[in-house]
Amino acid sequence: MDQQQMEAYEKINSLMKDVTDLRVEYWHQYSNFQSWQFWVIFLLMFLTPLLVLYFVIDRKKMFLLGFYGFNINVWFGIVDTWGNKQGLWGYPYELTPYVPGNLSLDTALVPVLFILVYQWTLNHNKNFYLYTIVLALFLSFICKPILVMHNFFLLHKWANYFYLFIGYCLIFLFSKLITNIFLKMSKNTSSYY
């Protein structure tokens, strides 16, 4: 690494540290444990979905559902972080200032909702794609506007609810594709146990 590259890298690293310090300061001032917004995020968007999942997940299909949900979590987290860093949307209130995006949505509420819809379509022999599109519509055009109305989520620049809907659809389609590929691969190999 030459000197110019090292200086550029160190400048980026320093700016990232400054941004993290600002985020932590902002969180302590506006989104900490003493704010009602923190408790809404923690209880309604983080803890409740995980508790519901714990009690209603079909334990016979838990690995399939968990693998699909983990895919949703990973891809939604990546897209959410990208949109946040691009200034397309943001979260004035967060569970923690150390993780970009909204940890409660990325790791709990959204993945759990997608898992439950997937489970329901499997158990009732329903069209997965139709019901998951309905969930994407609900999240994009009902849930997100409610979050915007209460300042839990803000849209910026050219971002709008339709683009969020397209993003949800791409994420669930990609997650289902990866899940299907792994299912097919597991059926084509002999067991090592």
Side-chain angles (χ1 to χ4, degrees):
M1 186 180 307
D2 65 20
Q3 185 63 29
Q4 184 179 5
Q5 182 182 358
M6 181 56 83
E7 289 173 6
Y9 173 80
E10 287 176 358
K11 180 179 180 182
I12 291 169
N13 195 39
S14 175
L15 290 171
M16 286 176 50
K17 172 74 170 95
D18 291 345
V19 169
T20 299
D21 291 345
L22 283 172
R23 291 177 68 91
V24 170
E25 182 181 325
Y26 175 90
W27 185 86
H28 282 291
Q29 191 167 2
Y30 300 106
S31 189
N32 62 45
F33 304 114
Q34 295 173 338
S35 70
W36 66 269
Q37 293 92 343
F38 172 86
W39 292 103
V40 168
I41 290 168
F42 177 69
L43 293 174
L44 291 179
M45 291 188 237
F46 186 74
L47 189 60
T48 300
L50 294 175
L51 287 173
V52 168
L53 183 66
Y54 177 80
F55 288 109
V56 303
I57 194 166
D58 184 338
R59 298 220 177 343
K60 293 176 187 161
K61 298 177 180 123
M62 194 160 40
F63 284 106
L64 171 65
L65 297 168
F67 184 80
Y68 172 72
F70 181 72
N71 269 281
I72 294 287
N73 167 261
V74 168
W75 301 117
F76 186 69
I78 289 169
V79 170
D80 197 32
T81 299
W82 172 82
N84 201 329
K85 285 187 172 193
Q86 294 298 316
L88 298 177
W89 54 73
Y91 301 94
Y93 304 101
E94 297 178 330
L95 195 58
T96 175
Y98 300 105
V99 179
N102 191 303
L103 186 65
S104 57
L105 290 175
D106 296 352
T107 62
L109 182 63
V110 171
V112 167
L113 290 173
F114 277 99
I115 288 169
L116 293 177
V117 168
Y118 188 26
Q119 175 176 295
W120 187 83
T121 61
L122 287 171
N123 291 344
H124 294 89
N125 200 24
K126 299 292 182 180
N127 186 317
F128 165 81
Y129 299 98
L130 173 67
Y131 287 94
T132 309
I133 287 172
V134 170
L135 175 59
L137 285 167
F138 169 77
L139 290 170
S140 303
F141 296 106
I142 296 174
C143 185
K144 288 293 185 174
I146 290 171
L147 293 176
V148 167
M149 185 179 2
H150 297 289
N151 293 315
F152 284 99
F153 180 69
L154 299 175
L155 291 168
H156 308 292
K157 297 182 182 179
W158 49 265
N160 62 46
Y161 299 119
F162 179 74
Y163 289 132
L164 295 178
F165 170 70
I166 297 298
Y168 280 119
C169 289
L170 291 173
I171 289 167
F172 91 73
L173 287 170
F174 192 61
S175 297
K176 184 70 163 86
L177 174 67
I178 291 172
T179 302
N180 288 347
I181 289 170
F182 272 76
L183 278 173
K184 185 167 177 57
M185 288 171 45
S186 72
K187 290 179 183 173
N188 291 338
T189 60
S190 61
S191 176
Y192 292 103
Y193 302 106

